[in-house]
Amino acid sequence: MNAEVIIVGGGIIGCSTAYNLAKNGVSVIVLEGSEHIGNGGSTRNGGGVRQSGRDPRELPLVMYAIKNIWKDLSDMLDTDVEYHQQGNLRLGSTDKHHQILNGLTERAIKCGLDVRMIDGYEARQINPYLSEEVTCASWCPTDGHANPLTATMGYYKMARRLGAHFISGEKVTEIRKIKGKARQVITESGNIYEGDKIIVASGYESRFIVSTVGIDVPMQPVLLETLVTEAVAPMFWQMLGTADADFYGHQSNHGSFVFGLNSGYEPYARPGKPVSSSIAVSAACRGIMKYFPSLSDIKVVRSWAGWMDSCADHIPVISPVEEVPGLILACGFSGHGFGIAPAVGLLLSQLATEQKTTLDLSEFRYNRF
Amino acid sequence: MRIQEHPILGTYDRGEIVSFTFDGKVLEGFEGEPIAMALKNAGVMVHRYTKKEHKPRGIFCAIGRCTDCVMIVNGKPNVRTCITPLEAGMEICTQYGVSAEPSNGGEKK
Amino acid sequence: MKRYDMIIVGAGPAGLSAAIESAKRGMHVIVYDENAKPGGQLFKQIHKFFGSKEHKAKIRGFRIGDELLAEASALGVEVVLNAIVIGLFSEKEVTVKIDEHVEHVKGDTVLIATGASENMVTFPGWTLPGVIGAGAAQTMMNLHGTLPGKRVLMLGSGNVGLVVSFQLMQAGCEVVALADAAPRIGGYGVHASKVSRCGVPFYLSHTIVSADGDDHVTGVTIAEVDKNWQIIKGTEKHFDVDTICLAVGLSPMSKLCDMAGCQMEDNPSKADFVPTVNKYGETSISGIYAAGDVSGIEEASSAMIEGRIAGIAAAAKLGFITEEECNIEIEKQESALEGLRQGMFAPGMRGKIITETDEGVEVSQNLLKKGFVTEEEIERFPGVTHSEGIHPVIECTQNIPCNPCQDACSKHCIKIGSNITALPAVNPEAKCTGCGMCVASCSGQAIFLVNEDCGDGTAEITLPYEFLALPQKGDKGIALNRNGQKICEAEVVNVRTAKAFDHTNLLTMKVPKEFALNARFFKKEA
Amino acid sequence: MNDRNRNIGEYIPADDDNIIVCRCEEITKGEIRRAVHDGMFTLTEIRRYLRTGMGLCQGQTCTKLVKSIVAKELGIRPSDLEPATGRAPMRPIEMYILAQDGEDMK
């Protein structure tokens, strides 16, 4: 099967790229290795659409997405992506926390972001549910959150409506060069797909796929765990985080809270199917209750785990690979891919059609390591 | 309606008669029986109205699975009344969406 | 971390049976159950069970639960109730909520015996209060002494629908109709017959069109369906009811197996998504077992044997018994299981149309469509004979795994033989004394003692009676036929209750002798 | 291999499209059918897109119903569809109770 662009990976990056390409009349085939669209980090993340706390190199991407895309995304995708832009509180309770938050804040201000340090009192003015434990916070009013599930499926739905051809359960094993250019994608079932450009956006798996054309990206899979609560009446709409990153999350439109966790043992999770640990949810509950005592009675209904592709320097690779003409890499999102996905999709579509990209991508070169 | 005597089971072990309130009205039931049973015997069929369509719901599975019978109990929403034992003085309220207020059914936004 | 030789999730028939077998062999076993009472769904089952003596036949379900629990406790098994298992993690670590905290425990083996949950069916109004699961009705009546409603329509003619319909009447409800979209009754004919003779009409090939009511159910409309399950316009029937009971099958509650990472399969013959298990009940994860409904919907008697097999296999795995011992014992259990899986209702027979019994007797079509065997049909079955004086009439017409009646008669009037699913036959050589043990022992309430001609133009029929108020000797009323229709006047001439009958009263009524062959129930005239 | 471009026909509105299937999240049969035609070919995708089975009961009531609707719409057998993954906790549990976790707390 042929198309102008073959995208390997049906996550939100692949889907948003397919959407941007299909919208411009470019023929696309998207190959998803698992049975389900958006099965990796795309639907397994905390839904943050945030600028604060981000690596300065990534900031232009997310600032662009927030300014130009997120607000209209629900209409664009004919899907409620539940985007809320009501600020981000990153909470702390010790001097060390203050130091961490202050450092992040100063760096972001230098990049032109509207973010500042506030004290516990002001934090409680913004979010009255916060306990006295909270003594400091960074506050970025233009941050927010969205629903990763509907955003990912929305991009998929729209891309498909616009003519992008998705195939799931089609695990790519090899990229093959034809006369010096990456042109063919070969799958486990033996099928061959051919295109002028091949975009690899398969999370950690990208590593194995691009190694078949002699490329490597230094990254490792790291487990992420999340808990979801029952729905309760609306309490607050800010995105939350902590200086220690021991939990982060928000209340969704549905009324449930979604909290990402960090028990500290995630880097030692065994490879294979991502599975929840027996202790992480409990540990997170203790952390959440310390800052939000009024959530103590709320019931946890679900927990899940997923792999993220953590890059050596914690920012992604979004880059054409000149030494393998035709190959474009988009991986190593290091757990912050969701908020920037709308921008990344646009930029990748520009790379694939050899247009000048709206934003400079030189920080995300594949050969920076 | 209570079964007074059953041909196979005889009579039932029941707790003390206790009072509780349902939407402010004082009702009686047996201590320790599921809240839903006390309500059912007091003629209460509707436990809640749903969030989106505002439709009535009551007992459905009676074993804590389906969560249709949830109500506000002592201020806590989403309490499965079919498996929560009745205690004296409990304040039980009809749940609207996820709230006790008919006007705010936990509507989004 | 606290560690057990075996952690069992679910204190139902499978879980408790496994606990007994493994503890018997020296294992340190703990059983968790989320309910306040042990026995799984057994504790709501008030009817006598089918099966063989060895597997607790003719004992009422809730007593089986009590017996299993007592046996397990005597063997030192810890049974923790109100214990909600949160998850089964790697290294066979179980987290469980007990009271207000969470415990972490590990098992060298784990048995998942979480049972099943009820299937549901949609129709306009199905979310109205008053539409309930059949299990909910049982819970309300048999556990909490609460009537689900006054007038009930039952949807579903499987064993659950039939048994619960009968229980509803025992509790004092009126069952206005029993409907099923299938063209044939799905459950045991004997269960259908005992409902039918109480006057409940059966509507096969009928489904619910809608439940009516604003805030709760006030009525229901059913209609006939065609071969493609489409409603045939103009066949609607309306009933004023306050309750609609749904009994449309069960599905394995296998989420814990899935979470643990066991290989799953969607197996229609096991009624849905189940863990793949080997002959020991072991899943794809070494040391994790599944038994009972969670690994495929069957009767409680099968669940008990599956539990035993898993318990024995786990004992062998952990070296508490040798492999040889294990194989010998499991072989015994397997042959018992094989026996239970014979007959017309065997798992392999699902969906098949049966026209003849194993004995070559044509099955009653009326039974399958209307819930009762007609007077003409009943004569061809080996349990129905005629002789002078009192004699048993056994209206058991399907091959089901059940044989307590054979042992109940000390005079050997009833013969089933070694094949547990064979139809009971009356032994013409033996002499019935009218003791009534057979009547009380028949879980299907299908045995009657009949004296067709008392010499004064009357006949006497002794029937099982499990309702209140219990009629008294001398009470006058009406006799109903197998279809629940009034056929003649009747007088109660004897009512026997005995401990050995276990709440099945034997009511003897006198009717004009021409009705001896079809008067099968007594109703006191109001 | 699941080709999302394969022809499953047009979405044809039906009389019973407004029937609630997922009781917790109040998702109708029509919404589920339309989602299938919008490319949601697996139960997991339907769940992510519509929230079926993600309410308080955790899909214990509607999973089988949703499965049969999706299968019918796709023209496949229900057994060809894999249900969504089972996840802890198996029952809703309060945060303050989960926080009380330890092995020897008896």
Side-chain angles (χ1 to χ4, degrees), chain A residues 290-348:
Chain A
K290 198 169 95 174
Y291 286 166
F292 291 96
S294 52
L295 297 187
S296 318
D297 284 341
I298 289 185
K299 297 183 263 311
V300 175
V301 297
R302 183 163 63 245
S303 64
W304 42 256
W307 294 113
M308 67 168 180
D309 42 349
S310 184
C311 206
D313 58 356
H314 305 292
I315 61 161
V317 169
I318 307 168
S319 170
V321 182
E322 287 81 1
E323 64 194 272
V324 185
L327 177 65
I328 298 168
L329 266 177
C331 59
F333 283 85
S334 306
H336 351 113
F338 176 67
I340 59 176
V344 174
L346 172 71
L347 298 166
L348 284 169

Side-chain angles (χ1 to χ4, degrees), chain A residues 93-353:
Chain A
S93 56
T94 65
D95 289 345
K96 192 170 164 250
H97 291 161
H98 191 277
Q99 233 173 351
I100 296 170
L101 295 173
N102 206 34
L104 287 168
T105 304
E106 278 176 9
R107 272 196 294 174
I109 290 170
K110 276 191 201 132
C111 298
L113 184 65
D114 173 18
V115 57
R116 64 194 169 91
M117 284 300 291
I118 58 174
D119 61 11
Y121 175 80
E122 198 176 345
R124 280 180 286 279
Q125 295 292 306
I126 294 167
N127 187 320
Y129 298 96
L130 282 172
S131 73
E132 294 290 330
E133 287 272 339
V134 176
T135 54
C136 61
S138 69
W139 170 239
C140 175
T142 54
D143 276 357
H145 54 80
N147 183 334
L149 311 180
T150 55
T152 303
M153 300 324 281
Y155 264 122
Y156 160 61
K157 173 176 92 177
M158 228 13 159
R160 185 174 167 274
R161 275 192 201 167
L162 291 167
H165 187 171
F166 286 80
I167 303 168
S168 62
E170 192 68 319
K171 197 169 153 51
V172 172
T173 52
E174 190 186 341
I175 294 172
R176 189 186 289 163
K177 289 210 273 190
I178 305 287
K179 293 180 183 166
K181 292 176 83 177
R183 284 198 59 84
Q184 290 187 342
V185 167
I186 298 158
T187 65
E188 212 168 52
S189 53
N191 292 328
I192 299 172
Y193 298 86
E194 189 160 342
D196 301 331
K197 290 284 188 300
I198 296 164
I199 300 176
V200 177
S202 315
Y204 182 69
E205 302 295 312
S206 306
R207 193 167 184 180
F208 305 109
I209 295 165
V210 297
S211 78
T212 61
V213 283
I215 299 293
D216 191 26
V217 176
M219 54 179 172
Q220 62 184 20
V222 175
L223 195 75
L224 276 180
E225 292 192 63
T226 290
L227 67 83
V228 182
T229 73
E230 65 183 319
V232 293
M235 289 168 72
F236 53 84
W237 295 118
Q238 300 99 33
M239 183 71 194
L240 303 168
T242 66
D244 277 345
D246 52 348
F247 74 87
Y248 53 91
H250 66 270
Q251 186 176 19
S252 68
N253 275 12
H254 170 252
S256 53
F257 285 88
V258 181
F259 283 115
L261 330 171
N262 196 340
S263 69
Y265 294 102
E266 285 79 5
Y268 313 102
R270 271 173 285 197
K273 190 181 167 189
V275 290
S276 305
S277 82
S278 64
I279 53 164
V281 168
S282 288
C285 287
R286 289 190 282 272
I288 294 162
M289 283 161 54
K290 198 169 95 174
Y291 286 166
F292 291 96
S294 52
L295 297 187
S296 318
D297 284 341
I298 289 185
K299 297 183 263 311
V300 175
V301 297
R302 183 163 63 245
S303 64
W304 42 256
W307 294 113
M308 67 168 180
D309 42 349
S310 184
C311 206
D313 58 356
H314 305 292
I315 61 161
V317 169
I318 307 168
S319 170
V321 182
E322 287 81 1
E323 64 194 272
V324 185
L327 177 65
I328 298 168
L329 266 177
C331 59
F333 283 85
S334 306
H336 351 113
F338 176 67
I340 59 176
V344 174
L346 172 71
L347 298 166
L348 284 169
S349 74
Q350 292 166 339
L351 286 178
T353 50

